[in-house]
Amino acid sequence: MVSESPALIELEGIRRRYGGEDGSPEVEVLRGVSLRIQAGEFVAIVGASGSGKSTLMNILGCLDRPSAGRYRFASRDVAGFDADQLAWLRREAFGFVFQGYHLIATESARENVEIPALYAGLPAERRRERAVALLQRLGLGERLDHRPNQLSGGQQQRVSIARALMNGGRIILADEPTGALDSHSGKEVMALLNELADAGHTVILITHDRDVAAQARRVIEIRDGEVVSDSGSQVPARALPSPDLAEAGRDHGVSPWSELGEVARSAWRVMWQNRFRTALTLLGIVIGVASVIVMLAVGLGTKDRVVARMASMGATIMYLSGRQPPEGGPAGVVTLEDLDAVAGLPEVRAAMPVIGDPAMVRYGNVARSVYTFSSSEEMPRIHHWPVAVGRFFSAAEDKAMAPVVVLGHKAREQFFPGIANPLGLQLLIKDSPFEVIGVMSEKGADSGAEDYDEMVFIPYRAGRVRVFQALTHPDYSVIDAASSSQVLAAEAAIRELLETRHGRQDFGIGNAAAKLLAEAETQDSMTLMLGLIAAVSLLVGGIGVMNVMLMTVRERTREIGIRMATGARRRDILHQFLGEALLVTVTGGSAGVLLGIVAGLLLVASGVPLVFSLSAMLIAFTSAAATGLLFGWLPARTAAALDPVVALSME
Ligand code: ADP
Ligand code: MG
């Protein structure tokens, strides 16, 4: 009766051992099983619990490899197939029906049925149509969108039969398919298997129940890992053609675009179903990204303010005045001649003498004590402060002791309210008449020098002669270095020059520029520190993603097994979990950028100087995405490397 034609499935001396390697006792579960099954046969493998039936089925279905022996499928030795080719074979040739149904709990009945076709690369439209048609044929047309936990056991088993048929199901491998069902549902499932056998499907039914086995057309009995009886093979009336094994190497599987859509869809669903946990993980990333953006913006803003103040006060300015020398004795005097010598140094652009003191200023019946600033014509240039109306006095006017005055912005308002043009009017300073020739522009409250707006400015020599008669030398002098990089060199040169001229160190130099530069540098290191703190919080966020991904992989090991049994390649599993990690971090990163901008705008509204930097946002976002990828990739790789049998047996 045994057919001479090559069988679809040929097992020769198949052995399967467990344990041994890691010190656990070695058990041989299959002890030399030889079998030939023709295409189109309906075979029952029967045996007591623990006799090795499931182990045999896992080997038949290419979920597991034998320890020894030969498995030829359509005359090809399966031992030569790599993991991806085995995935192809499972997808094209086999359909599994398990005692515990093995449906993915988070997907609907229709989506569960679609999975094998998804990995075969069938377009979404046709996948859907076929899944619906199969479910309707199995009497579940009304239950398409139900989740497994909303279905009875019998209904779940019919969903899993529909899934087994999705890619054709040429060989149906059913492991105790009725084991968990009531007798009525069990009968229905057996009737279905009979129908499929009649339609030409090869059906291999595994059961411990002799009555169930008796419904098959051939019964093989297995005991302690050995075949003890076989009712014999018959040539079936009809059989579906077996898959073309030459295709295995040319498997394209899922097309990249439909895969991307599918990965995004299922990643979104998983994220949504675990939204509380995901939200907490996201929070880490969101805070990390937002703090990187805000901290850097605060740092840059503060630095900008220091730089602005430097520009307004002059980054090149030093103050020079007479002082008691350290060894004692009278305080020194810096004379106009000293200043001429200082101005002659190559590192110095200008040296400006200053006498400044309050003096009584009068116009009409307005009289008040005003700080009167007498200096050279260099004042506007040294303080980077332009004249708004009229002009400043000249060097010639200073030499000639000309009685002219330039008003600060506020001084003009105080003495000439309602007068459109004060130029040419006479102001009395300590009873001497001075002609108004200009008004300075407004310094304003932001400059740190708003006091200047209340002053009046007169030539140094006119001040000395007409206002401050008692004072014959400058109160102090302002030195303007040739450039900001020459400030320190200028200070050293001035010290040397004056020490030679005076014979002792009876003067002091206040270097405001150097102080400002130091302040700007402190600000730089502050920004760096804030940035580091923010980067650490981003890293903590990344570790959160890794933690969640590890948990997800552990929780969903069985799902991974189901996907592999229905034909997913390792790469498909890797992409799925990587997609989930990426979705979490990209969502978190975007939310972080938004939060950073909103928090920044709030700070700006409350007066904190901020400078947003696009590169900081890009860096924060990409590092979030990169940490997500890295920390998602490790667990995803672990998931993809799982053995299908191991993953399936996980609780
Ligand atoms: P059946 O399906 O016939 O009840 P199984 O094939 O599931 O039997 O198991 C057969 C024997 O192999 C059992 O004794 C079981 O304990 C052992 N076994 C199955 N899987 C493993 C494994 N992964 N590691 C060690 N022993 C195993
Ligand atoms: Mg079993």
Side-chain angles (χ1 to χ4, degrees):
M1 275 221 288
V2 171
S3 154
E4 293 307 312
S5 65
L8 177 62
I9 285 173
E10 282 176 274
L11 299 186
E12 235 180 274
I14 292 288
R15 289 172 185 279
R16 181 68 171 98
R17 286 181 283 269
Y18 287 116
E21 327 77 57
D22 52 355
S24 59
E26 192 180 279
V27 269
E28 195 167 56
V29 176
L30 295 179
R31 300 190 292 177
V33 172
S34 300
L35 267 184
R36 288 163 60 88
I37 297 173
Q38 306 285 342
E41 278 195 276
F42 183 3
V43 189
I45 297 176
V46 67
S49 175
S51 54
K53 305 182 297 293
S54 295
T55 307
L56 180 59
M57 186 192 96
N58 289 337
I59 287 172
L60 283 172
C62 298
L63 292 169
D64 194 13
R65 289 177 188 268
S67 314
R70 208 151 62 138
Y71 178 6
R72 287 204 292 187
F73 185 92
S75 308
R76 279 276 301 274
D77 194 336
V78 177
F81 280 36
D82 65 20
D84 280 355
Q85 286 172 317
L86 288 176
W88 176 86
L89 190 59
R90 287 196 292 271
R91 199 159 70 218
E92 296 300 318
F94 295 105
F96 295 91
V97 179
F98 298 96
Q99 175 172 5
Y101 326 127
H102 282 346
L103 298 175
I104 296 175
T106 52
E107 310 259 305
S108 70
R110 178 177 57 73
E111 287 160 343
N112 264 291
V113 174
E114 279 185 34
I115 289 171
L118 168 71
Y119 294 121
L122 198 68
E125 196 72 358
R126 291 189 31 217
R127 222 155 65 205
R128 193 190 182 94
E129 280 168 17
R130 185 166 164 76
V132 170
L134 279 169
L135 284 168
Q136 279 167 346
R137 199 174 108 200
L138 296 182
L140 289 169
E142 313 282 279
R143 299 280 187 279
L144 298 176
D145 294 318
H146 284 54
R147 294 263 172 71
N149 63 2
Q150 298 166 325
L151 296 171
S152 73
Q155 288 168 332
Q156 288 187 64
Q157 198 57 300
R158 277 182 279 159
V159 172
S160 87
I161 292 173
R163 178 179 64 192
L165 294 172
M166 188 65 190
N167 283 350
R170 293 180 175 90
I171 304 161
I172 303 287
L173 282 169
D175 189 357
E176 309 267 13
T178 60
L181 300 179
D182 58 86
S183 61
H184 176 72
S185 304
K187 274 194 189 110
E188 273 180 9
V189 165
M190 283 311 295
L192 262 172
L193 291 180
N194 254 307
E195 244 176 68
L196 291 175
D198 285 340
H201 294 265
T202 309
V203 178
I204 302 175
L205 165 71
I206 283 166
T207 180
H208 65 279
D209 184 334
R210 284 177 186 285
D211 294 338
V212 172
Q215 298 175 49
R217 288 153 212 180
R218 173 183 172 192
V219 178
I220 298 170
E221 193 179 345
I222 174 170
R223 192 181 301 154
D224 294 334
E226 281 174 304
V227 175
V228 291
S229 77
D230 185 345
S231 70
S233 178
Q234 318 110 350
V235 183
R238 52 181 299 201
L240 295 175
S242 66
D244 181 3
L245 289 184
E247 286 289 321
R250 277 182 260 130
D251 173 29
H252 299 302
V254 194
S255 88
W257 288 114
S258 79
E259 186 196 357
L260 201 66
E262 197 52 44
V263 163
R265 185 195 65 81
S266 73
W268 175 257
R269 167 163 318 174
V270 170
M271 204 168 111
W272 183 247
Q273 273 160 357
N274 296 311
R275 51 191 173 278
F276 187 64
R277 184 169 86 187
T278 312
L280 283 179
T281 316
L282 277 181
L283 206 58
I285 295 273
V286 171
I287 291 174
V289 169
S291 58
V292 165
I293 290 173
V294 173
M295 301 265 187
L296 288 182
V298 169
L300 282 177
T302 319
K303 190 182 169 195
D304 261 28
R305 186 178 266 191
V306 172
V307 169
R309 193 167 336 140
M310 254 163 78
S312 96
M313 291 177 59
T316 50
I317 288 179
M318 284 163 286
Y319 295 90
L320 172 64
S321 55
R323 187 177 292 172
Q324 242 193 351
E327 65 272 14
V333 170
V334 178
T335 63
L336 285 186
E337 291 70 43
D338 286 335
L339 287 187
D340 280 342
V342 167
L345 291 169
E347 296 90 349
V348 172
R349 191 191 63 77
M352 175 177 81
V354 177
I355 299 176
D357 255 328
M360 194 48 82
V361 179
R362 235 184 276 276
Y363 179 78
N365 49 14
V366 185
R368 51 197 302 162
S369 173
V370 169
Y371 195 92
T372 302
F373 191 97
S374 44
S375 68
S376 76
E377 75 289 348
E378 285 284 352
M379 201 286 290
R381 181 156 174 201
I382 285 181
H383 287 298
H384 303 274
W385 190 14
V387 172
V389 182
R391 61 181 182 86
F392 207 74
F393 51 82
S394 67
E397 284 169 318
D398 184 16
K399 277 229 166 59
M401 295 178 279
V404 291
V405 61
V406 178
L407 306 174
H409 175 79
K410 277 194 196 144
R412 176 242 168 105
E413 286 174 359
Q414 282 158 355
F415 288 101
F416 304 103
I419 295 178
N421 182 9
L423 299 187
L425 298 177
Q426 298 279 331
L427 203 61
L428 288 181
I429 303 177
K430 238 187 174 182
D431 300 327
S432 297
F434 280 77
E435 181 190 341
V436 176
I437 58 166
V439 179
M440 302 303 294
S441 57
E442 186 176 0
K443 278 257 182 203
D446 283 346
S447 63
E450 55 182 319
D451 295 351
Y452 278 59
D453 283 337
E454 299 189 9
M455 299 181 189
V456 296
F457 301 88
I458 58 176
Y460 175 75
R461 288 179 177 79
R464 199 175 57 180
V465 172
R466 299 173 197 270
V467 181
F468 306 111
Q469 289 95 341
L471 296 165
T472 49
H473 297 294
D475 280 347
Y476 66 94
S477 307
V478 184
I479 314 292
D480 195 15
S483 71
S484 56
S485 60
Q486 279 170 285
V487 170
L488 291 175
E491 185 184 338
I494 295 167
R495 278 187 196 287
E496 201 186 313
L497 177 78
L498 290 184
E499 264 185 62
T500 329
R501 287 175 68 94
H502 294 191
R504 48 184 205 145
Q505 211 189 327
D506 58 354
F507 57 88
I509 299 176
N511 197 335
K515 251 192 261 167
L516 280 171
L517 284 172
E519 198 179 326
E521 261 163 41
T522 320
Q523 206 49 58
D524 267 351
S525 48
M526 278 283 284
T527 308
L528 190 71
M529 214 175 68
L530 291 178
L532 272 178
I533 294 171
V536 167
S537 73
L538 195 56
L539 186 73
V540 172
I543 292 172
V545 172
M546 168 122 140
N547 187 24
V548 159
M549 288 310 295
L550 279 171
M551 266 161 45
T552 308
V553 167
R554 176 162 308 165
E555 283 167 3
R556 288 158 65 201
T557 311
R558 216 163 55 97
E559 174 188 330
I560 295 167
I562 295 167
R563 289 182 183 275
M564 285 180 154
T566 53
R569 291 160 306 178
R570 304 206 144 153
R571 148 158 52 108
D572 299 322
I573 301 293
L574 185 70
H575 290 179
Q576 183 191 341
F577 283 92
L578 219 48
E580 287 177 21
L582 206 59
L583 184 68
V584 169
T585 44
V586 165
T587 313
S590 314
V593 169
L594 266 179
L595 180 70
I597 291 175
V598 169
L601 290 178
L602 285 177
L603 283 175
V604 168
S606 62
V608 179
L610 276 198
V611 175
F612 282 118
S613 117
L614 187 66
S615 54
M617 290 184 199
L618 278 177
I619 289 171
F621 183 83
T622 33
S623 17
T627 41
L629 261 185
L630 176 68
F631 288 131
W633 181 70
L634 297 170
R637 201 187 52 163
T638 315
L642 280 172
D643 231 352
V645 253
V646 174
L648 263 179
S649 63
M650 214 72 92
E651 271 320 302

